Amino acid sequence: INAEYMGTEAGLFEKTNMLLRSFSRIQCVSSMRPRQLHTTSPLQSGMIPQHRDSENNKATTVWDFTPENWKKAQQILAKYPPQYKRSASMPLLTLAQEQNDNWLPLAAMNKVAEIIDVPPIRVYEVATFYSMYNREFVGKFHLQVCGTTPCQLSGSENIIETLEKHLGVKKGEITKDGLFSISEVECLGACSNAPMIQINNHEFYENLTPETTIQLVEDLRAGKTPKVGPQNGQRVAEGIMGKTSLNIDVDVFKQYRDLDAEKAKLQAAQQAATEKK
C-alpha cells in the first residue's frame, strides 16, 4: 500500500481495519491460559489417610508416661541439644510403645509430639514409616518371622505354617487370649542363622525348626524366659554348612570384659579416693 493511497479516505479505512485486526490477535493471545503440567492426579479429600476412632484408640483419650518412664524420657532428651530434641522422636516412640503393651495409640504419638515440640504430623510420619512401630493392637508376644530370601530358602515358610497351625491364627491375627500375634517382616540381619524370629522388636531366636518353634511358643505361654539366640546349640553365627574357618576351641563369650563389673570397680575406686581426702 503506497503513501498516496493511505492518504485517501479508503486508505484510512483500510489502515483502521489493519489496526483492529492486530489488536484482536493480541487480545486473543493474552487471554489464553498457560497449560499446566500435572505429574500425578490431584488427591481428593476422601483419599487422605485419616485416623478413625476405635474402642481402644480414640483421639480424645488422655495418655501419659508413667513416673518411671518419665525419668527415662528425660534421660533420652538429655542426649540431644534443646534445639534438636525432635531427634528423640524414635526412642520416645519406642518407650511409649513398650509401656502400652507393644503398640502405639494416637494419644501416645500426640504426647511424644508435645514433648519434642513438633506438630503431631511429624511424629505420625515417623510412626507410619518404620514397621517396628505397631499402630494397631498386637499380642503380648509379637512373633515377627523374617521372610526375606535367606530365611525363606532355609524354611521360614514352614515356621509360619507351624505357628499358624499351632496357635490357630493367621498372619496379622491375634490369639483369643491376646498372647500371640504373627507377622512376616523383612530382613532382620540374622541371615547366617536363618530361619529366625524376632519377638517384640528385641530378642532374636535363630536356627529354628518347627519343633523348636513350638517349644519357644510354649515356654512363652508358661511364663518362662527362653534362651535368646540360636536354638540348635551353636554359639556363634554359622551358615547351613557349619563353621568353615576359625576352627579353634575358644569361648568367644569370655573374650569380652564385664562392663558392669568394671564400672563397679571404677565407682569403688572413686569412692575410696573421696573418703581418703
Side-chain angles (χ1 to χ4, degrees), residues 94-165:
T94 300
L95 182 63
Q97 178 167 276
E98 292 177 350
Q99 175 180 312
N100 201 67
D101 296 328
N102 205 31
W103 72 286
L104 276 173
L106 182 70
M109 291 185 273
N110 290 340
K111 188 64 181 182
V112 171
E114 176 187 331
I115 292 172
I116 61 177
D117 195 23
V118 298
I121 186 62
R122 297 303 182 194
V123 175
Y124 304 160
E125 290 170 346
V126 175
T128 55
F129 181 82
Y130 293 100
S131 60
M132 63 185 179
Y133 298 120
N134 306 312
R135 292 175 293 110
E136 299 291 340
F137 183 76
V138 296
K140 178 180 179 180
F141 301 108
H142 186 199
L143 308 176
Q144 300 161 291
V145 185
C146 178
T148 314
T149 307
C151 281
Q152 186 182 43
L153 293 174
S154 299
S156 64
E157 292 180 346
N158 290 335
I159 300 302
I160 293 174
E161 290 175 4
T162 298
L163 288 172
E164 290 180 339
K165 183 178 179 179

Side-chain angles (χ1 to χ4, degrees), residues 5-17:
Y5 173 76
M6 292 300 291
T8 65
E9 184 177 351
L12 291 173
F13 181 79
E14 182 68 23
K15 184 176 181 181
T16 301
N17 282 337

Side-chain angles (χ1 to χ4, degrees), residues 228-241:
V228 176
Q231 302 299 300
N232 63 348
Q234 73 183 43
R235 296 182 301 168
V236 293
E238 301 177 6
I240 58 176
M241 300 301 294

Side-chain angles (χ1 to χ4, degrees), residues 122-225:
R122 297 303 182 194
V123 175
Y124 304 160
E125 290 170 346
V126 175
T128 55
F129 181 82
Y130 293 100
S131 60
M132 63 185 179
Y133 298 120
N134 306 312
R135 292 175 293 110
E136 299 291 340
F137 183 76
V138 296
K140 178 180 179 180
F141 301 108
H142 186 199
L143 308 176
Q144 300 161 291
V145 185
C146 178
T148 314
T149 307
C151 281
Q152 186 182 43
L153 293 174
S154 299
S156 64
E157 292 180 346
N158 290 335
I159 300 302
I160 293 174
E161 290 175 4
T162 298
L163 288 172
E164 290 180 339
K165 183 178 179 179
H166 185 69
L167 295 174
V169 294
K170 298 294 184 181
K171 287 188 297 183
E173 297 179 348
I174 306 170
T175 56
K176 292 181 179 180
D177 57 10
L179 283 179
F180 299 98
S181 57
I182 308 170
S183 297
E184 183 176 351
V185 298
E186 297 304 315
C187 184
L188 292 170
C191 306
S192 61
N193 288 358
M196 60 84 64
I197 289 177
Q198 177 181 253
I199 297 181
N200 295 348
N201 294 328
H202 287 294
E203 296 84 4
F204 278 19
Y205 300 90
E206 308 157 335
N207 302 104
L208 292 168
T209 64
E211 294 73 22
T212 56
T213 300
I214 292 175
Q215 184 62 51
L216 172 63
V217 168
E218 290 307 309
D219 285 346
L220 292 170
R221 192 194 302 275
K224 299 179 181 179
T225 303

